[in-house]
Amino acid sequence: MKTIAVYPGSFDPPTFGHLDIIERSSRVFSRVIVSVAKNLTKDTMFTPMERVTMLRKLIRPFPNVEVDSFRGLLVEYVRIVDAHVVVRGLRAISDFEYEFQMAHMNKKLSPDVDTVFMMTGERYSYISSQIAKEIARFGGKIDDLVPPLVRDSMVRKLGGKR
Ligand code: PNS
């Protein structure tokens, strides 16, 4: 049976933690669609197109992974791409409450969609896009947090300041 999974998120920017989940999902599911949420209420460093472009470069080693974007409800998008699984990474207990609420809400909205959680690899468990942005803004080293192409894009966004 071919299982299509959607890995949704803000990916602002993609981190090594996201890449870990992408790589491992690619081994579990027949096809993985990494999908960038476009209608975020939060301020973002990168436009949706910029995030899609970075992700497309990062997923090149994984032939069964593709990158897309969506607007509106996640479950609607999942239905349109004919998937039944949503993948989310869990780093720590602190992620749980939000993820629990989202998974249950999505199940209520679309009972045939299941959320599958993957524990983010231990070495990536402290990484978040938010932390990477904050460190970069203050000129700190982010090489252990984001892939080189993301780091370079962040440095460019911040006007070359490191
Ligand atoms: O990387 P993030 O910011 O934790 O991703 C959250 C995201 C984008 C997956 C979530 O906010 C989402 O699914 N947004 C789309 C709108 C939606 O369906 N909201 C209801 C979820 S209960």
Side-chain angles (χ1 to χ4, degrees), residues 9 15-16 33 89 97 137-138:
T15 66
F16 279 128
I33 307 173
E97 211 167 317
R137 277 195 188 106
F138 292 117

Side-chain angles (χ1 to χ4, degrees), residues 75-90:
V75 288
E76 271 305 303
Y77 170 77
V78 169
R79 189 183 55 78
I80 290 164
V81 296
D82 203 22
H84 295 276
V85 176
V86 169
V87 175
R88 292 286 289 172
L90 270 185

Side-chain angles (χ1 to χ4, degrees), residues 2 13 34 40 47 67 82 84 89 98-99 103 111 119 122 129 155:
K2 284 197 185 300
V34 179
L40 298 174
T47 65
V67 178
D82 203 22
H84 295 276
Y98 171 60
E99 294 298 335
M119 296 298 294
E122 203 182 346
S129 301
V155 170

